[in-house]
Amino acid sequence: MKPVTALAAASLLLASIGISHAQESQTDKRREIAEGPFEPTWTSLAENYQAPDWFRDAKFGIWAHWSAQCEPEAGDWYARHMYLQGHRQYEDHLERYGHPADSGFMEIENLWKAENWAPERLMDLYVRAGAKYFVALANHHDNFDCFDSDHHEWNSVDVGPKKDIVGTWARIARQHGLRFGVSNHSAHSWHWYQAAYAYDATGPRAGERYDAYTLTKEDGAGKWWEGLDPQTLYNGPLMAMPDGLNTIEAQSKWHTENTADWTEEPPEGELGRKFVDTWFLRAQDLVDKYQPDLLYFDNYTLPLGQAGLDVAAHYYNASLDWHDGEPEAVINVKGTSEDRLGAVIDDIERGVAFGIRENPWQTDTCIGDWHYNRDVYEEGRYKSVSQVARMLADIVSKNGNLLLSIPIRGDGTLDEAEIAFLEGLADWMDINGEAIFSTRPWKIYGEGPSTEEEPEAGHYGGAKDVREAPYTAADIRFTTKDEALYAIVMQHPDSDQTITIKALGSDSDLASDKTIQSVRLLGASQEIEWSRDAEGLHVLIPEEISSPHTLTLEIRGAL
């Protein structure tokens, strides 16, 4: 655990926001949790949880990872990086908005107006592209609530857009027949945001502390943020950078060893306990107000120790009450250990599972940066429809779901490349969705070279979400539904137009004793020629049929 600031400094800050030692001691009392079978322990969660059928059937969701950090259109983690001298986003902020001592990220929160946001139009696109559930970002590490928060004054109803972003998304998603989820990233803000308490190492303003270190509630008199306390946004100096680090390298080393530590443990001291207690109330408020079907935590296990277990038990119990005792709730966390897989649904960020998992799971990834990045758009670096279609086929064949983020600009709009992507994905879904939605894995997830080689490892415990090596027509992924086996061919065959599925050879241990009754190419009006022998099921694709992404065969009689 990293050191915190001196007790005197923490006590002074607590007093400045109206929290006495007597009040602070009250945080030790048991938190109020909805009644039900779930107790706030891993054992109870695992014994009582059941993954809902809606999630297992949905397979594909779209995520609006949208907040004020999209306003500069400069990419991920802007609210932290703008305080790191030498970082490109620090230089960008200096040029466009001023020095971080004068104009910190709280000013960007106010500049974010979402003035061109048309959520109905966006939801139409998402549904057309095949989404069965939609997830809205409720807060990020910048500690700003994008909803009508009762326990945090820095929220989108009172600052910036002056709109209940999450509430609006929830209403419109449900009107479109989608399941609705929220993502909560704020448990990491206590260490992630400490960069705002630092200072320049070099230059004309070296040693001058940034805005978070100097601003108090009283400083807002007569300004747009009158009545708001910047310390509530920035979390207080839990571990402010010490004086005397006069090189960028020394500061970078200090941040890496302290504030960049991706700990799941709660902060220490009085100020830390207040952070955890308020975090619980905010998370509980989010759950109770919007009754989400899915709650995503950007954490490797439930966040902040007991507080995370308390929120999970409250949410699971409350969800049972909302749905007359039916299991409908999903909690996503990352890097889940084997003994906890029955308590939550594991998520692999920007990665996929290596094989079929017994428990349902989820990939979350993005076609670009998580926060909108104009450079990614202008340089044409979004994921393609082909990449995402193949990724989805691979994920579903392994008992997983894909939650895909389409970055939104600060004003609430998509760029033309993103719209074209969604329209292209919709065209693919029109033909191939039958082999995706409401399916289950087969005996094996696939065959071909891509299943035989060592997978390329991703950064978050799985294989990379987009495979670097090209797929071939021999690379196939399998799904099942009712009496059909679907074979998703990851690349159009070469000049001989023949696809061979070895797993369905007459001598294969995987093939059933039944006789294959029919083979149909999804999206094709004509019948196709096929034959079966000991080597496999051979399917001839008509020359006039071509596919830029995948081909999908429906096979009857193979199960």
PDB file of all heavy atoms in Angstrom, residues 55-86:
ATOM      1  N   PHE A  55     -28.188 -12.452 -20.948  1.00  0.00           N
ATOM      2  CA  PHE A  55     -26.796 -12.136 -21.264  1.00  0.00           C
ATOM      3  C   PHE A  55     -26.194 -13.216 -22.153  1.00  0.00           C
ATOM      4  O   PHE A  55     -25.485 -12.916 -23.129  1.00  0.00           O
ATOM      5  CB  PHE A  55     -25.996 -12.004 -19.965  1.00  0.00           C
ATOM      6  CG  PHE A  55     -24.563 -11.603 -20.183  1.00  0.00           C
ATOM      7  CD1 PHE A  55     -24.223 -10.278 -20.430  1.00  0.00           C
ATOM      8  CD2 PHE A  55     -23.548 -12.549 -20.143  1.00  0.00           C
ATOM      9  CE1 PHE A  55     -22.905  -9.906 -20.639  1.00  0.00           C
ATOM     10  CE2 PHE A  55     -22.224 -12.179 -20.351  1.00  0.00           C
ATOM     11  CZ  PHE A  55     -21.903 -10.859 -20.598  1.00  0.00           C
ATOM     12  N   ARG A  56     -26.490 -14.472 -21.848  1.00  0.00           N
ATOM     13  CA  ARG A  56     -25.945 -15.568 -22.649  1.00  0.00           C
ATOM     14  C   ARG A  56     -26.491 -15.536 -24.071  1.00  0.00           C
ATOM     15  O   ARG A  56     -25.830 -15.982 -25.017  1.00  0.00           O
ATOM     16  CB  ARG A  56     -26.264 -16.905 -21.992  1.00  0.00           C
ATOM     17  CG  ARG A  56     -25.694 -17.038 -20.582  1.00  0.00           C
ATOM     18  CD  ARG A  56     -25.612 -18.479 -20.164  1.00  0.00           C
ATOM     19  NE  ARG A  56     -24.623 -19.188 -20.965  1.00  0.00           N
ATOM     20  CZ  ARG A  56     -24.529 -20.513 -21.053  1.00  0.00           C
ATOM     21  NH1 ARG A  56     -25.413 -21.267 -20.419  1.00  0.00           N
ATOM     22  NH2 ARG A  56     -23.597 -21.077 -21.788  1.00  0.00           N
ATOM     23  N   ASP A  57     -27.702 -15.016 -24.250  1.00  0.00           N
ATOM     24  CA  ASP A  57     -28.306 -14.939 -25.577  1.00  0.00           C
ATOM     25  C   ASP A  57     -27.885 -13.691 -26.351  1.00  0.00           C
ATOM     26  O   ASP A  57     -27.862 -13.696 -27.583  1.00  0.00           O
ATOM     27  CB  ASP A  57     -29.833 -14.952 -25.472  1.00  0.00           C
ATOM     28  CG  ASP A  57     -30.384 -16.287 -25.016  1.00  0.00           C
ATOM     29  OD1 ASP A  57     -29.669 -17.302 -25.131  1.00  0.00           O
ATOM     30  OD2 ASP A  57     -31.526 -16.318 -24.535  1.00  0.00           O
ATOM     31  N   ALA A  58     -27.560 -12.622 -25.633  1.00  0.00           N
ATOM     32  CA  ALA A  58     -27.365 -11.314 -26.274  1.00  0.00           C
ATOM     33  C   ALA A  58     -26.149 -11.279 -27.179  1.00  0.00           C
ATOM     34  O   ALA A  58     -26.190 -10.741 -28.293  1.00  0.00           O
ATOM     35  CB  ALA A  58     -27.260 -10.226 -25.211  1.00  0.00           C
ATOM     36  N   LYS A  59     -25.028 -11.747 -26.694  1.00  0.00           N
ATOM     37  CA  LYS A  59     -23.760 -11.886 -27.430  1.00  0.00           C
ATOM     38  C   LYS A  59     -23.076 -10.570 -27.800  1.00  0.00           C
ATOM     39  O   LYS A  59     -21.857 -10.504 -27.812  1.00  0.00           O
ATOM     40  CB  LYS A  59     -23.953 -12.712 -28.722  1.00  0.00           C
ATOM     41  CG  LYS A  59     -24.519 -14.097 -28.519  1.00  0.00           C
ATOM     42  CD  LYS A  59     -23.694 -14.926 -27.548  1.00  0.00           C
ATOM     43  CE  LYS A  59     -24.271 -16.303 -27.359  1.00  0.00           C
ATOM     44  NZ  LYS A  59     -23.581 -17.047 -26.284  1.00  0.00           N
ATOM     45  N   PHE A  60     -23.834  -9.519 -28.099  1.00  0.00           N
ATOM     46  CA  PHE A  60     -23.196  -8.297 -28.608  1.00  0.00           C
ATOM     47  C   PHE A  60     -23.839  -7.064 -27.992  1.00  0.00           C
ATOM     48  O   PHE A  60     -25.066  -6.895 -28.026  1.00  0.00           O
ATOM     49  CB  PHE A  60     -23.325  -8.238 -30.127  1.00  0.00           C
ATOM     50  CG  PHE A  60     -22.710  -7.000 -30.744  1.00  0.00           C
ATOM     51  CD1 PHE A  60     -21.360  -6.712 -30.580  1.00  0.00           C
ATOM     52  CD2 PHE A  60     -23.481  -6.120 -31.484  1.00  0.00           C
ATOM     53  CE1 PHE A  60     -20.800  -5.560 -31.126  1.00  0.00           C
ATOM     54  CE2 PHE A  60     -22.936  -4.977 -32.051  1.00  0.00           C
ATOM     55  CZ  PHE A  60     -21.583  -4.702 -31.871  1.00  0.00           C
ATOM     56  N   GLY A  61     -22.993  -6.227 -27.415  1.00  0.00           N
ATOM     57  CA  GLY A  61     -23.454  -4.963 -26.866  1.00  0.00           C
ATOM     58  C   GLY A  61     -22.592  -3.811 -27.334  1.00  0.00           C
ATOM     59  O   GLY A  61     -21.445  -4.007 -27.763  1.00  0.00           O
ATOM     60  N   ILE A  62     -23.137  -2.617 -27.260  1.00  0.00           N
ATOM     61  CA  ILE A  62     -22.389  -1.406 -27.616  1.00  0.00           C
ATOM     62  C   ILE A  62     -22.281  -0.523 -26.381  1.00  0.00           C
ATOM     63  O   ILE A  62     -23.217  -0.404 -25.590  1.00  0.00           O
ATOM     64  CB  ILE A  62     -23.044  -0.673 -28.800  1.00  0.00           C
ATOM     65  CG1 ILE A  62     -22.716  -1.429 -30.097  1.00  0.00           C
ATOM     66  CG2 ILE A  62     -22.580   0.776 -28.895  1.00  0.00           C
ATOM     67  CD1 ILE A  62     -23.247  -0.810 -31.358  1.00  0.00           C
ATOM     68  N   TRP A  63     -21.125   0.095 -26.254  1.00  0.00           N
ATOM     69  CA  TRP A  63     -20.756   0.869 -25.076  1.00  0.00           C
ATOM     70  C   TRP A  63     -20.478   2.310 -25.488  1.00  0.00           C
ATOM     71  O   TRP A  63     -19.696   2.557 -26.406  1.00  0.00           O
ATOM     72  CB  TRP A  63     -19.513   0.231 -24.473  1.00  0.00           C
ATOM     73  CG  TRP A  63     -19.058   0.728 -23.147  1.00  0.00           C
ATOM     74  CD1 TRP A  63     -19.656   1.621 -22.321  1.00  0.00           C
ATOM     75  CD2 TRP A  63     -17.872   0.294 -22.475  1.00  0.00           C
ATOM     76  NE1 TRP A  63     -18.923   1.787 -21.175  1.00  0.00           N
ATOM     77  CE2 TRP A  63     -17.815   0.981 -21.247  1.00  0.00           C
ATOM     78  CE3 TRP A  63     -16.846  -0.600 -22.789  1.00  0.00           C
ATOM     79  CZ2 TRP A  63     -16.786   0.806 -20.327  1.00  0.00           C
ATOM     80  CZ3 TRP A  63     -15.822  -0.775 -21.876  1.00  0.00           C
ATOM     81  CH2 TRP A  63     -15.792  -0.085 -20.672  1.00  0.00           C
ATOM     82  N   ALA A  64     -21.124   3.244 -24.801  1.00  0.00           N
ATOM     83  CA  ALA A  64     -20.804   4.661 -24.978  1.00  0.00           C
ATOM     84  C   ALA A  64     -19.858   5.076 -23.859  1.00  0.00           C
ATOM     85  O   ALA A  64     -20.280   5.467 -22.773  1.00  0.00           O
ATOM     86  CB  ALA A  64     -22.067   5.510 -24.962  1.00  0.00           C
ATOM     87  N   HIS A  65     -18.574   4.940 -24.100  1.00  0.00           N
ATOM     88  CA  HIS A  65     -17.527   5.288 -23.140  1.00  0.00           C
ATOM     89  C   HIS A  65     -17.261   6.791 -23.284  1.00  0.00           C
ATOM     90  O   HIS A  65     -16.229   7.232 -23.750  1.00  0.00           O
ATOM     91  CB  HIS A  65     -16.276   4.458 -23.465  1.00  0.00           C
ATOM     92  CG  HIS A  65     -15.224   4.455 -22.421  1.00  0.00           C
ATOM     93  ND1 HIS A  65     -14.335   5.485 -22.259  1.00  0.00           N
ATOM     94  CD2 HIS A  65     -14.909   3.530 -21.475  1.00  0.00           C
ATOM     95  CE1 HIS A  65     -13.503   5.200 -21.279  1.00  0.00           C
ATOM     96  NE2 HIS A  65     -13.830   4.014 -20.789  1.00  0.00           N
ATOM     97  N   TRP A  66     -18.241   7.562 -22.812  1.00  0.00           N
ATOM     98  CA  TRP A  66     -18.328   8.984 -23.174  1.00  0.00           C
ATOM     99  C   TRP A  66     -18.382   9.855 -21.933  1.00  0.00           C
ATOM    100  O   TRP A  66     -19.238   9.669 -21.063  1.00  0.00           O
ATOM    101  CB  TRP A  66     -19.585   9.188 -24.016  1.00  0.00           C
ATOM    102  CG  TRP A  66     -19.821  10.575 -24.529  1.00  0.00           C
ATOM    103  CD1 TRP A  66     -18.916  11.392 -25.157  1.00  0.00           C
ATOM    104  CD2 TRP A  66     -21.056  11.290 -24.489  1.00  0.00           C
ATOM    105  NE1 TRP A  66     -19.525  12.576 -25.505  1.00  0.00           N
ATOM    106  CE2 TRP A  66     -20.842  12.535 -25.110  1.00  0.00           C
ATOM    107  CE3 TRP A  66     -22.324  10.985 -24.002  1.00  0.00           C
ATOM    108  CZ2 TRP A  66     -21.856  13.487 -25.247  1.00  0.00           C
ATOM    109  CZ3 TRP A  66     -23.334  11.932 -24.143  1.00  0.00           C
ATOM    110  CH2 TRP A  66     -23.088  13.168 -24.759  1.00  0.00           C
ATOM    111  N   SER A  67     -17.470  10.797 -21.858  1.00  0.00           N
ATOM    112  CA  SER A  67     -17.438  11.744 -20.739  1.00  0.00           C
ATOM    113  C   SER A  67     -16.664  12.973 -21.194  1.00  0.00           C
ATOM    114  O   SER A  67     -16.308  13.113 -22.374  1.00  0.00           O
ATOM    115  CB  SER A  67     -16.774  11.112 -19.517  1.00  0.00           C
ATOM    116  OG  SER A  67     -15.380  10.933 -19.734  1.00  0.00           O
ATOM    117  N   ALA A  68     -16.357  13.854 -20.246  1.00  0.00           N
ATOM    118  CA  ALA A  68     -15.655  15.096 -20.583  1.00  0.00           C
ATOM    119  C   ALA A  68     -14.269  14.850 -21.157  1.00  0.00           C
ATOM    120  O   ALA A  68     -13.708  15.731 -21.830  1.00  0.00           O
ATOM    121  CB  ALA A  68     -15.544  15.987 -19.352  1.00  0.00           C
ATOM    122  N   GLN A  69     -13.701  13.679 -20.927  1.00  0.00           N
ATOM    123  CA  GLN A  69     -12.375  13.395 -21.495  1.00  0.00           C
ATOM    124  C   GLN A  69     -12.425  13.238 -23.016  1.00  0.00           C
ATOM    125  O   GLN A  69     -11.379  13.168 -23.668  1.00  0.00           O
ATOM    126  CB  GLN A  69     -11.772  12.156 -20.840  1.00  0.00           C
ATOM    127  CG  GLN A  69     -11.341  12.411 -19.401  1.00  0.00           C
ATOM    128  CD  GLN A  69     -10.613  11.244 -18.789  1.00  0.00           C
ATOM    129  OE1 GLN A  69      -9.411  11.083 -18.950  1.00  0.00           O
ATOM    130  NE2 GLN A  69     -11.350  10.411 -18.076  1.00  0.00           N
ATOM    131  N   CYS A  70     -13.635  13.183 -23.580  1.00  0.00           N
ATOM    132  CA  CYS A  70     -13.779  13.184 -25.039  1.00  0.00           C
ATOM    133  C   CYS A  70     -13.783  14.603 -25.605  1.00  0.00           C
ATOM    134  O   CYS A  70     -13.634  14.781 -26.820  1.00  0.00           O
ATOM    135  CB  CYS A  70     -15.067  12.472 -25.435  1.00  0.00           C
ATOM    136  SG  CYS A  70     -15.145  10.739 -24.949  1.00  0.00           S
ATOM    137  N   GLU A  71     -13.985  15.595 -24.774  1.00  0.00           N
ATOM    138  CA  GLU A  71     -14.093  16.980 -25.238  1.00  0.00           C
ATOM    139  C   GLU A  71     -12.831  17.465 -25.960  1.00  0.00           C
ATOM    140  O   GLU A  71     -12.932  18.065 -27.036  1.00  0.00           O
ATOM    141  CB  GLU A  71     -14.432  17.901 -24.059  1.00  0.00           C
ATOM    142  CG  GLU A  71     -14.554  19.373 -24.407  1.00  0.00           C
ATOM    143  CD  GLU A  71     -15.730  19.687 -25.329  1.00  0.00           C
ATOM    144  OE1 GLU A  71     -16.712  18.909 -25.326  1.00  0.00           O
ATOM    145  OE2 GLU A  71     -15.661  20.698 -26.043  1.00  0.00           O
ATOM    146  N   PRO A  72     -11.614  17.212 -25.448  1.00  0.00           N
ATOM    147  CA  PRO A  72     -10.414  17.664 -26.180  1.00  0.00           C
ATOM    148  C   PRO A  72     -10.118  16.872 -27.446  1.00  0.00           C
ATOM    149  O   PRO A  72      -9.258  17.274 -28.238  1.00  0.00           O
ATOM    150  CB  PRO A  72      -9.287  17.483 -25.150  1.00  0.00           C
ATOM    151  CG  PRO A  72      -9.964  17.413 -23.826  1.00  0.00           C
ATOM    152  CD  PRO A  72     -11.273  16.736 -24.101  1.00  0.00           C
ATOM    153  N   GLU A  73     -10.800  15.716 -27.630  1.00  0.00           N
ATOM    154  CA  GLU A  73     -10.588  14.835 -28.795  1.00  0.00           C
ATOM    155  C   GLU A  73      -9.124  14.437 -28.923  1.00  0.00           C
ATOM    156  O   GLU A  73      -8.567  14.361 -30.010  1.00  0.00           O
ATOM    157  CB  GLU A  73     -11.088  15.502 -30.082  1.00  0.00           C
ATOM    158  CG  GLU A  73     -12.577  15.819 -30.056  1.00  0.00           C
ATOM    159  CD  GLU A  73     -13.115  16.323 -31.378  1.00  0.00           C
ATOM    160  OE1 GLU A  73     -12.328  16.514 -32.324  1.00  0.00           O
ATOM    161  OE2 GLU A  73     -14.334  16.529 -31.470  1.00  0.00           O
ATOM    162  N   ALA A  74      -8.494  14.151 -27.774  1.00  0.00           N
ATOM    163  CA  ALA A  74      -7.057  13.875 -27.752  1.00  0.00           C
ATOM    164  C   ALA A  74      -6.734  12.495 -27.207  1.00  0.00           C
ATOM    165  O   ALA A  74      -5.560  12.183 -26.975  1.00  0.00           O
ATOM    166  CB  ALA A  74      -6.346  14.943 -26.917  1.00  0.00           C
ATOM    167  N   GLY A  75      -7.736  11.648 -26.985  1.00  0.00           N
ATOM    168  CA  GLY A  75      -7.461  10.276 -26.603  1.00  0.00           C
ATOM    169  C   GLY A  75      -7.590   9.996 -25.122  1.00  0.00           C
ATOM    170  O   GLY A  75      -8.075  10.815 -24.338  1.00  0.00           O
ATOM    171  N   ASP A  76      -7.103   8.816 -24.760  1.00  0.00           N
ATOM    172  CA  ASP A  76      -7.362   8.250 -23.439  1.00  0.00           C
ATOM    173  C   ASP A  76      -6.620   8.969 -22.319  1.00  0.00           C
ATOM    174  O   ASP A  76      -5.514   9.475 -22.496  1.00  0.00           O
ATOM    175  CB  ASP A  76      -6.940   6.777 -23.429  1.00  0.00           C
ATOM    176  CG  ASP A  76      -7.799   5.924 -24.335  1.00  0.00           C
ATOM    177  OD1 ASP A  76      -8.880   6.386 -24.725  1.00  0.00           O
ATOM    178  OD2 ASP A  76      -7.376   4.789 -24.664  1.00  0.00           O
ATOM    179  N   TRP A  77      -7.289   8.953 -21.158  1.00  0.00           N
ATOM    180  CA  TRP A  77      -6.695   9.381 -19.883  1.00  0.00           C
ATOM    181  C   TRP A  77      -6.243  10.842 -19.898  1.00  0.00           C
ATOM    182  O   TRP A  77      -5.282  11.227 -19.236  1.00  0.00           O
ATOM    183  CB  TRP A  77      -5.524   8.468 -19.512  1.00  0.00           C
ATOM    184  CG  TRP A  77      -5.934   7.136 -18.962  1.00  0.00           C
ATOM    185  CD1 TRP A  77      -7.113   6.493 -19.161  1.00  0.00           C
ATOM    186  CD2 TRP A  77      -5.152   6.282 -18.108  1.00  0.00           C
ATOM    187  NE1 TRP A  77      -7.128   5.293 -18.491  1.00  0.00           N
ATOM    188  CE2 TRP A  77      -5.939   5.132 -17.842  1.00  0.00           C
ATOM    189  CE3 TRP A  77      -3.873   6.381 -17.578  1.00  0.00           C
ATOM    190  CZ2 TRP A  77      -5.477   4.101 -17.036  1.00  0.00           C
ATOM    191  CZ3 TRP A  77      -3.412   5.346 -16.779  1.00  0.00           C
ATOM    192  CH2 TRP A  77      -4.203   4.222 -16.512  1.00  0.00           C
ATOM    193  N   TYR A  78      -6.961  11.663 -20.623  1.00  0.00           N
ATOM    194  CA  TYR A  78      -6.569  13.070 -20.731  1.00  0.00           C
ATOM    195  C   TYR A  78      -6.516  13.736 -19.364  1.00  0.00           C
ATOM    196  O   TYR A  78      -5.612  14.533 -19.090  1.00  0.00           O
ATOM    197  CB  TYR A  78      -7.559  13.808 -21.636  1.00  0.00           C
ATOM    198  CG  TYR A  78      -7.150  15.228 -21.964  1.00  0.00           C
ATOM    199  CD1 TYR A  78      -6.459  15.511 -23.146  1.00  0.00           C
ATOM    200  CD2 TYR A  78      -7.438  16.288 -21.109  1.00  0.00           C
ATOM    201  CE1 TYR A  78      -6.072  16.805 -23.455  1.00  0.00           C
ATOM    202  CE2 TYR A  78      -7.065  17.585 -21.405  1.00  0.00           C
ATOM    203  CZ  TYR A  78      -6.379  17.840 -22.578  1.00  0.00           C
ATOM    204  OH  TYR A  78      -5.994  19.124 -22.880  1.00  0.00           O
ATOM    205  N   ALA A  79      -7.461  13.431 -18.484  1.00  0.00           N
ATOM    206  CA  ALA A  79      -7.543  14.119 -17.196  1.00  0.00           C
ATOM    207  C   ALA A  79      -6.344  13.819 -16.303  1.00  0.00           C
ATOM    208  O   ALA A  79      -6.079  14.570 -15.359  1.00  0.00           O
ATOM    209  CB  ALA A  79      -8.836  13.741 -16.474  1.00  0.00           C
ATOM    210  N   ARG A  80      -5.630  12.766 -16.561  1.00  0.00           N
ATOM    211  CA  ARG A  80      -4.380  12.489 -15.840  1.00  0.00           C
ATOM    212  C   ARG A  80      -3.171  13.009 -16.611  1.00  0.00           C
ATOM    213  O   ARG A  80      -2.316  13.708 -16.067  1.00  0.00           O
ATOM    214  CB  ARG A  80      -4.234  10.988 -15.589  1.00  0.00           C
ATOM    215  CG  ARG A  80      -2.890  10.601 -14.956  1.00  0.00           C
ATOM    216  CD  ARG A  80      -2.831   9.107 -14.664  1.00  0.00           C
ATOM    217  NE  ARG A  80      -1.480   8.675 -14.314  1.00  0.00           N
ATOM    218  CZ  ARG A  80      -0.963   8.743 -13.086  1.00  0.00           C
ATOM    219  NH1 ARG A  80      -1.684   9.251 -12.103  1.00  0.00           N
ATOM    220  NH2 ARG A  80       0.259   8.315 -12.841  1.00  0.00           N
ATOM    221  N   HIS A  81      -3.120  12.667 -17.892  1.00  0.00           N
ATOM    222  CA  HIS A  81      -1.927  12.985 -18.672  1.00  0.00           C
ATOM    223  C   HIS A  81      -1.686  14.482 -18.837  1.00  0.00           C
ATOM    224  O   HIS A  81      -0.552  14.911 -19.033  1.00  0.00           O
ATOM    225  CB  HIS A  81      -2.019  12.329 -20.049  1.00  0.00           C
ATOM    226  CG  HIS A  81      -1.949  10.844 -20.001  1.00  0.00           C
ATOM    227  ND1 HIS A  81      -2.449  10.038 -21.004  1.00  0.00           N
ATOM    228  CD2 HIS A  81      -1.442   9.995 -19.059  1.00  0.00           C
ATOM    229  CE1 HIS A  81      -2.255   8.770 -20.704  1.00  0.00           C
ATOM    230  NE2 HIS A  81      -1.651   8.714 -19.526  1.00  0.00           N
ATOM    231  N   MET A  82      -2.744  15.286 -18.776  1.00  0.00           N
ATOM    232  CA  MET A  82      -2.565  16.734 -18.921  1.00  0.00           C
ATOM    233  C   MET A  82      -1.782  17.329 -17.758  1.00  0.00           C
ATOM    234  O   MET A  82      -1.308  18.466 -17.837  1.00  0.00           O
ATOM    235  CB  MET A  82      -3.920  17.431 -19.043  1.00  0.00           C
ATOM    236  CG  MET A  82      -4.842  17.240 -17.864  1.00  0.00           C
ATOM    237  SD  MET A  82      -6.022  18.588 -17.620  1.00  0.00           S
ATOM    238  CE  MET A  82      -4.997  19.852 -16.936  1.00  0.00           C
ATOM    239  N   TYR A  83      -1.614  16.557 -16.682  1.00  0.00           N
ATOM    240  CA  TYR A  83      -0.831  17.006 -15.530  1.00  0.00           C
ATOM    241  C   TYR A  83       0.575  16.413 -15.515  1.00  0.00           C
ATOM    242  O   TYR A  83       1.314  16.617 -14.547  1.00  0.00           O
ATOM    243  CB  TYR A  83      -1.548  16.619 -14.232  1.00  0.00           C
ATOM    244  CG  TYR A  83      -2.828  17.375 -13.972  1.00  0.00           C
ATOM    245  CD1 TYR A  83      -4.069  16.751 -14.119  1.00  0.00           C
ATOM    246  CD2 TYR A  83      -2.819  18.699 -13.559  1.00  0.00           C
ATOM    247  CE1 TYR A  83      -5.259  17.430 -13.864  1.00  0.00           C
ATOM    248  CE2 TYR A  83      -3.990  19.395 -13.309  1.00  0.00           C
ATOM    249  CZ  TYR A  83      -5.208  18.756 -13.458  1.00  0.00           C
ATOM    250  OH  TYR A  83      -6.376  19.444 -13.204  1.00  0.00           O
ATOM    251  N   LEU A  84       0.962  15.677 -16.532  1.00  0.00           N
ATOM    252  CA  LEU A  84       2.283  15.057 -16.581  1.00  0.00           C
ATOM    253  C   LEU A  84       3.151  15.822 -17.569  1.00  0.00           C
ATOM    254  O   LEU A  84       3.047  15.642 -18.792  1.00  0.00           O
ATOM    255  CB  LEU A  84       2.173  13.587 -16.993  1.00  0.00           C
ATOM    256  CG  LEU A  84       1.268  12.691 -16.142  1.00  0.00           C
ATOM    257  CD1 LEU A  84       1.288  11.265 -16.650  1.00  0.00           C
ATOM    258  CD2 LEU A  84       1.665  12.745 -14.669  1.00  0.00           C
ATOM    259  N   GLN A  85       4.000  16.686 -17.055  1.00  0.00           N
ATOM    260  CA  GLN A  85       4.850  17.492 -17.940  1.00  0.00           C
ATOM    261  C   GLN A  85       5.672  16.579 -18.842  1.00  0.00           C
ATOM    262  O   GLN A  85       6.238  15.589 -18.393  1.00  0.00           O
ATOM    263  CB  GLN A  85       5.775  18.387 -17.119  1.00  0.00           C
ATOM    264  CG  GLN A  85       6.505  19.415 -17.974  1.00  0.00           C
ATOM    265  CD  GLN A  85       7.430  20.309 -17.163  1.00  0.00           C
ATOM    266  OE1 GLN A  85       7.905  19.927 -16.098  1.00  0.00           O
ATOM    267  NE2 GLN A  85       7.675  21.514 -17.665  1.00  0.00           N
ATOM    268  N   GLY A  86       5.725  16.904 -20.113  1.00  0.00           N
ATOM    269  CA  GLY A  86       6.418  16.094 -21.099  1.00  0.00           C
ATOM    270  C   GLY A  86       5.495  15.193 -21.892  1.00  0.00           C
ATOM    271  O   GLY A  86       5.857  14.746 -22.986  1.00  0.00           O
TER     272      GLY A  86
END
